[in-house]
Amino acid sequence: MLLSLPALHLQTSEHHPLFQLPHGRLGPWCSPTGSPAPLSCETGCGEGTWILVCRLLVPTQVSLLSMEEDIDTRKINNSFLRDHSYATEADIISTVEFNHTGELLATGDKGGRVVIFQREQESKNQVHRRGEYNVYSTFQSHEPEFDYLKSLEIEEKINKIRWLPQQNAAYFLLSTNDKTVKLWKVSERDKRPEGYNLKDEEGRLRDPATITTLRVPVLRPMDLMVEATPRRVFANAHTYHINSISVNSDYETYMSADDLRINLWNFEITNQSFNIVDIKPANMEELTEVITAAEFHPHHCNTFVYSSSKGTIRLCDMRASALCDRHTKFFEEPEDPSNRSFFSEIISSISDVKFSHSGRCIMTRDYLTVKVWDLNMENRPVETYQVHDYLRSKLCSLYENDCIFDKFECVWNGSDSVIMTGSYNNFFRMFDRNTKRDVTLEASRENSKPRAILKPRKVCVGGKRRKDEISVDSLDFSKKILHTAWHPSENIIAVAATNNLYIFQDKVN
């Protein structure tokens, strides 16, 4: 259903948010872009020199077949990931997430698969493998579906993955596509029971009349097997596409957000959820903004925040009312009229929102900038960082090739002192909040030798460029870093570039 929006000044585009409400994600729209002058680019970003630990590839369907035929799945998958270069659209990584200890790293792809990597244990003989990750488990999380009532295809693409804190030997994680959230249990098994009384060695039931003695079953060692089993399926609660999931600090509930609504779930109840935010107007022609991202406060289970396509952030308190349509705090930066342009509404749309680990600040990412907001100051951000301001003159061509609708994520480091986010040409940016230094690094296949030191990159805007600089006209907009993750306690980062997963770490002197 196409919407009639006379108030909009933008031309219709298949990727423009409000022209594809029922069938696509809603995104972009209107607020300020004015910020301080770009920070000086210096190496290190206050966090030392970064080196490449390893480059991994998401396993293709061919790889999954080879894994089933081999007992030692991690060995064959690991060698395949490092050496194989074949990739399809389904292999493109769509989300990256460390667990709470940083020992596991999960990726989801457009093919609906989840690949979990485990960190190698350090040893005196293999110090060089510090921080290296290898394949731990691979499973199909979502399958393509078809909604016959709406004649709508539902993609299997994994939109988000969120880990639950580990309570026992098993690991639990949430994964979601556009419509359905699943809770997965990932566990290890290295023993199997033998000596059943009612079953034979093949597993067939025995005739009770032939049983003359009773045996005590025993556990026998077996090759390590990692099993992923779906424990809960949370479905049929979203009319529009899910863009965010967030686990509450009470670890009993989580929320899922789509373009117009946010639902609160209990982990034990799959057939019922509570609608806590609903911004759908009675007349859809009056729709002016959509929800783009949402997250719970890291410490207060009653507080959450969600961002909109208008560049605004709303902080809500579930103690105030059951339906949080009235926000507790409203964060918006006044727009600078001198920066107003045809594309202002699109580039001001917030694509990601993250609480700091301390819970004191909120970080948001729009198309050109990363902003840090103090929860006690609603009228403007306390920090604004230009990610790729040199693209401001390229907005027209970026609009024509739909890159202007790309949704970049942003992450904090473990101490909230450094911010990381992605850009084009496989560049990703780091901003040190203490020293005000920033650095541009590249996740490049050409520089993928293990332990290779990353050289800072600079983009040249004018006609003259230095030897180490790259012209803005030479940037490859098909190569983009949308998804990144930072280890919760160490300087280890994961950067997703198409079907490549790069692991970098801060070089230890």
Side-chain angles (χ1 to χ4, degrees):
M1 177 181 70
L2 292 178
L3 302 177
S4 172
L5 298 174
L8 286 177
H9 302 295
L10 297 174
Q11 303 172 14
T12 59
S13 164
E14 61 174 322
H15 290 282
H16 194 279
L18 297 180
F19 287 97
Q20 47 168 10
L21 184 58
H23 306 293
R25 275 171 204 76
L26 306 173
W29 281 51
C30 92
S31 182
T33 52
S35 323
L39 300 170
S40 60
C41 185
E42 297 184 34
T43 62
C45 197
E47 293 292 311
T49 303
W50 291 88
I51 61 174
L52 174 68
V53 177
C54 56
R55 179 177 70 90
L56 301 168
L57 287 159
V58 168
T60 63
Q61 296 290 358
V62 179
S63 171
L64 294 179
L65 293 175
S66 64
M67 285 172 61
E68 294 173 0
E69 297 169 0
D70 197 282
I71 296 176
D72 193 349
T73 58
R74 281 188 281 183
K75 281 186 179 179
I76 189 168
N77 204 14
N78 185 43
S79 62
F80 189 92
L81 292 183
R82 294 179 186 283
D83 303 331
H84 204 59
S85 58
Y86 176 77
T88 64
E89 179 74 13
D91 301 321
I92 296 176
I93 299 173
S94 55
T95 184
V96 183
E97 188 77 10
F98 280 101
N99 74 338
H100 289 71
T101 63
E103 293 303 307
L104 297 181
L105 173 64
T107 65
D109 62 28
K110 289 189 175 182
R113 290 163 293 170
V114 173
V115 180
I116 301 176
F117 300 91
Q118 185 181 46
R119 188 178 184 181
E120 283 288 327
Q121 297 298 320
E122 290 188 43
S123 66
K124 294 181 180 179
N125 299 330
Q126 295 178 318
V127 180
H128 66 281
R129 301 194 71 174
R130 173 183 175 270
E132 189 169 327
Y133 285 75
N134 287 318
V135 174
Y136 179 67
S137 177
T138 304
F139 59 92
Q140 188 73 28
S141 176
H142 288 73
E143 301 281 355
E145 302 174 38
F146 189 81
D147 188 333
Y148 294 98
L149 295 177
K150 298 179 181 178
S151 297
L152 178 65
E153 290 185 6
I154 302 173
E155 293 182 351
E156 65 273 36
K157 173 191 170 187
I158 307 297
N159 292 337
K160 295 290 180 182
I161 290 175
R162 290 291 180 265
W163 290 90
L164 277 67
Q166 188 176 3
Q167 304 292 338
N168 49 43
Y171 302 96
F172 288 87
L173 61 85
L174 288 171
S175 64
T176 183
N177 66 349
D178 287 339
K179 299 291 184 180
T180 305
V181 183
K182 294 184 179 182
L183 175 65
W184 289 89
K185 176 184 179 182
V186 181
S187 56
E188 296 181 355
R189 188 152 61 95
D190 58 0
K191 293 182 176 64
R192 64 165 174 261
E194 291 183 357
Y196 288 106
N197 290 285
L198 300 180
K199 295 180 181 179
D200 59 18
E201 300 302 327
E202 303 295 328
R204 295 187 295 262
L205 288 175
R206 299 170 59 187
D207 183 0
T210 63
I211 301 175
T212 57
T213 60
L214 292 178
R215 295 184 294 176
V216 178
V218 295
L219 293 174
R220 302 288 187 193
M222 60 175 284
D223 293 325
L224 178 65
M225 180 181 296
V226 181
E227 298 177 317
T229 54
R231 300 304 301 270
R232 303 280 189 277
V233 177
F234 306 90
N236 305 319
H238 286 276
T239 305
Y240 307 103
H241 289 182
I242 298 173
N243 55 49
S244 301
I245 52 176
S246 180
V247 179
N248 202 348
S249 58
D250 61 11
Y251 305 132
E252 294 181 0
T253 57
Y254 78 92
M255 69 176 174
S256 56
D258 65 23
D259 302 312
L260 297 178
R261 298 186 179 98
I262 300 176
N263 294 333
L264 180 69
W265 299 84
N266 187 294
F267 281 111
E268 301 299 324
I269 303 172
T270 60
N271 61 353
Q272 185 180 15
S273 65
F274 294 95
N275 179 228
I276 54 177
V277 172
D278 187 350
I279 65 170
K280 182 180 179 181
N283 182 0
M284 287 295 285
E285 292 188 1
E286 299 175 359
L287 183 66
T288 59
E289 65 179 333
V290 294
I291 299 168
T292 56
E295 186 175 69
F296 268 119
H297 192 283
H299 309 304
H300 304 310
C301 62
N302 55 284
T303 307
F304 67 94
V305 67
Y306 70 93
S307 58
S308 83
S309 56
K310 276 191 170 182
T312 60
I313 309 105
R314 292 172 173 84
L315 183 74
C316 300
D317 190 336
M318 291 188 291
R319 297 174 299 183
S321 63
L323 188 63
C324 300
D325 284 349
R326 292 187 177 181
H327 49 267
T328 304
K329 291 189 176 183
F330 183 76
F331 301 87
E332 183 179 25
E333 185 178 18
E335 184 173 8
D336 185 353
S338 63
N339 284 333
R340 177 72 182 176
S341 70
F342 179 82
F343 303 104
S344 295
E345 293 182 346
I346 301 178
I347 63 176
S348 64
S349 174
I350 295 174
S351 57
D352 195 17
V353 60
K354 294 279 175 61
F355 271 106
S356 61
H357 295 88
S358 66
R360 174 65 188 269
C361 298
I362 301 172
M363 173 171 56
T364 59
R365 169 71 204 263
D366 56 42
Y367 190 68
L368 294 178
T369 65
V370 173
K371 297 176 182 177
V372 177
W373 304 75
D374 190 304
L375 290 185
N376 296 323
M377 189 164 70
E378 303 172 49
N379 60 341
R380 62 182 176 85
V382 292
E383 301 165 25
T384 301
Y385 301 101
Q386 295 288 353
V387 178
H388 39 214
D389 197 53
Y390 47 78
L391 295 181
R392 197 176 291 275
S393 61
K394 301 285 184 182
L395 292 179
C396 186
S397 58
L398 291 167
Y399 177 75
E400 292 174 354
N401 62 17
D402 288 330
C403 285
I404 200 171
F405 302 109
D406 288 332
K407 296 181 173 67
F408 293 94
E409 297 176 2
C410 54
V411 291
W412 302 88
N413 72 336
S415 62
D416 299 332
S417 61
V418 181
I419 291 168
M420 178 173 62
T421 190
S423 183
Y424 293 104
N425 207 68
N426 278 357
F427 289 168
F428 59 98
R429 304 268 283 138
M430 289 185 182
F431 302 93
D432 191 313
R433 300 178 61 206
N434 297 324
T435 63
K436 302 304 178 185
R437 295 178 179 176
D438 70 278
V439 65
T440 301
L441 301 173
E442 182 180 6
S444 171
R445 204 181 278 187
E446 288 72 26
N447 301 324
S448 58
K449 292 181 180 180
R451 323 311 292 182
I453 297 177
L454 272 66
K455 295 181 179 180
R457 303 301 305 268
K458 291 185 179 181
V459 178
C460 172
V461 180
K464 294 182 179 180
R465 68 182 181 90
R466 297 177 182 176
K467 181 180 179 181
D468 297 332
E469 293 180 340
I470 181 172
S471 171
V472 66
D473 297 319
S474 303
L475 296 177
D476 188 345
F477 294 105
S478 65
K479 296 179 180 179
K480 56 193 80 171
I481 304 296
L482 300 177
H483 313 288
T484 58
W486 201 306
H487 191 286
S489 59
E490 298 182 37
N491 282 334
I492 298 176
I493 58 175
V495 176
T498 59
N499 68 318
N500 295 270
L501 181 66
Y502 293 86
I503 310 291
F504 302 104
Q505 73 177 32
D506 188 8
K507 183 179 180 181
V508 179
N509 296 325

